[in-house]
Amino acid sequence: MPNFTDVTEFILLGLTSHQELQVLFFVVFLVVYMITLIGNIGMIILVSISPQLQSPMYFFLSHLSFVDVWFFSNVTPKMLENILSETKTISYVGCLVQCYFFIALVHVEVYILAVMAFDRYMAICNPLPYGSKMSRTVCARLISVPYIYGFSVSLICTLWTYGLYFCGNFKINHFYCADPPLIKIACGGVHIKEYTMIVIAGINFTYSLSVVLVSYTLIIAAVLCMRSADGRRKAFSTCGSHLTAVTMFYGTLIFMYLRRPTQESVEQGKMVAVFYTTVIPMLNPMIYSLRNKDVKEAVNKAIIKANLRQ
């Protein structure tokens, strides 16, 4: 029988063991963190104050930015602390809390992306009844589902993580508490956690991605039937930013969570995790700002108003 050990804290090995890179990583991730906070909070404020951004698409976009702020903040502050710390520890409770919010926010984001795809389908394929069918009340109900479902599923997943047992190896080969590296160092409760992680990730990614794919299949069919070249260009421009965000987020998460945890997959997943925990939340506001005429106009008007007040 394995000699199970009571665990009170874990050691996060981080991205690298090279001391000469620690300061560089700290500066880079601190800068990225500040850019991400400014970009996403700025997007939330811009949507709330700009009359031309009071459509369902931007309502969902503001929630995507809100989730990105919490998603990034769940990981980065502790990572920055451990980069400069000699102990690089995280408490057992803190690890479970980080796992809980990480899983919850991932599920919330994938379903917000699915809701945004459905919104684009309604706007392009059903433009006449769009205003009544996508009312403020309907949008509030649609956006509440990802939050309720994501945090409920995460509670179940975290309880299974709590069911893992350890035998003395408390070194997590990652920069935050994630399921694959935890499974790799556990010596009990592994099979049920590994199985449920893959099944739940597979079901949720498949279902939410199916909504996106079906929506965009119908959108493409509708756009190709348009006679106006300007109409086709406008339709594709409103979808381009969302498709870019979907491709980046889903691609990295599928690579991370739909494989059995091995030493090689955990090491590769650590590098991929940098992308979806830091880079994607930073890029999302830029993608929607640079490729969206309404957002750029709203930014210009906000800047002009700020200058006039001075």
Side-chain angles (χ1 to χ4, degrees):
M1 292 292 292
N3 185 19
F4 298 138
T5 306
D6 289 334
V7 55
T8 58
E9 64 181 17
F10 293 103
I11 298 173
L12 295 169
L13 298 182
L15 289 171
T16 180
S17 59
H18 298 290
Q19 293 297 324
E20 61 273 15
L21 296 176
Q22 300 293 343
V23 175
L24 175 62
F25 280 161
F26 179 84
V27 173
V28 169
F29 285 111
L30 180 61
V31 171
V32 171
Y33 184 51
M34 297 307 298
I35 293 173
T36 303
L37 284 179
I38 293 170
N40 283 286
I41 294 175
M43 181 64 74
I44 295 170
I45 295 172
L46 188 67
V47 170
S48 65
I49 65 174
S50 301
Q52 66 267 41
L53 300 183
Q54 298 306 306
S55 66
M57 180 175 72
Y58 299 109
F59 171 74
F60 296 133
L61 177 57
S62 66
H63 279 273
L64 182 66
S65 293
F66 175 77
V67 172
D68 276 340
V69 168
W70 288 104
F71 185 60
F72 192 64
S73 298
N74 182 48
V75 172
T76 307
K78 188 63 180 179
M79 179 181 66
L80 292 173
E81 176 190 335
N82 282 346
I83 286 176
L84 298 182
S85 173
E86 293 184 1
T87 56
K88 303 184 187 303
T89 58
I90 183 170
S91 68
Y92 179 71
V93 174
C95 185
L96 289 179
V97 169
Q98 195 173 64
C99 281
Y100 173 73
F101 281 103
F102 181 86
I103 297 169
L105 294 170
V106 164
H107 282 89
V108 172
E109 182 144 347
V110 295
Y111 280 106
I112 286 179
L113 291 171
V115 168
M116 292 175 74
F118 175 75
D119 171 69
R120 289 299 82 211
Y121 157 74
M122 291 295 294
I124 295 171
C125 299
N126 299 280
L128 294 179
Y130 174 70
S132 59
K133 289 190 175 182
M134 295 296 289
S135 65
R136 200 72 175 177
T137 302
V138 172
C139 290
R141 290 174 180 172
L142 283 174
I143 202 63
S144 66
V145 173
Y147 286 102
I148 296 171
Y149 178 77
F151 281 92
S152 299
V153 168
S154 181
L155 180 60
I156 299 171
C157 295
T158 306
L159 289 174
W160 278 318
T161 303
Y162 180 74
L164 293 174
Y165 295 95
F166 303 90
C167 300
N169 181 14
F170 303 141
K171 295 181 179 179
I172 301 175
N173 186 19
H174 218 292
F175 57 91
Y176 67 90
C177 281
D179 281 340
L182 278 171
I183 292 171
K184 186 61 185 172
I185 66 172
C187 58
V190 171
H191 296 297
I192 185 171
K193 176 60 184 177
E194 184 179 308
Y195 176 77
T196 53
M197 181 189 74
I198 295 174
V199 169
I200 289 177
I203 291 173
N204 286 290
F205 292 162
T206 300
Y207 182 74
S208 58
L209 191 56
S210 296
V211 174
V212 174
L213 293 177
V214 171
S215 297
Y216 275 104
T217 300
L218 297 173
I219 288 170
I220 292 171
V223 170
L224 293 177
C225 293
M226 291 180 180
R227 297 180 180 180
S228 169
D230 289 337
R232 288 195 298 269
R233 185 167 55 251
K234 183 178 180 181
F236 279 127
S237 67
T238 60
C239 297
S241 302
H242 181 252
L243 277 175
T244 304
V246 166
T247 302
M248 291 191 304
F249 196 72
Y250 277 86
T252 53
L253 285 174
I254 288 171
F255 181 85
M256 178 78 175
Y257 283 97
L258 293 185
R259 300 188 302 166
R260 291 186 70 251
T262 62
Q263 188 63 39
E264 182 182 1
S265 68
V266 168
E267 194 64 37
Q268 292 172 350
K270 187 166 61 171
M271 297 299 105
V272 174
V274 174
F275 191 74
Y276 68 73
T277 58
T278 59
V279 178
I280 291 178
M282 179 184 68
L283 290 180
N284 275 343
M286 298 180 187
I287 292 170
Y288 284 98
S289 299
L290 296 175
R291 302 190 61 174
N292 192 294
K293 183 180 178 181
D294 293 335
V295 174
K296 287 190 284 188
E297 289 179 355
V299 170
N300 291 332
K301 289 180 180 179
I303 293 173
I304 292 171
K305 287 183 179 180
N307 289 333
L308 290 175
R309 288 174 182 176
Q310 292 177 356

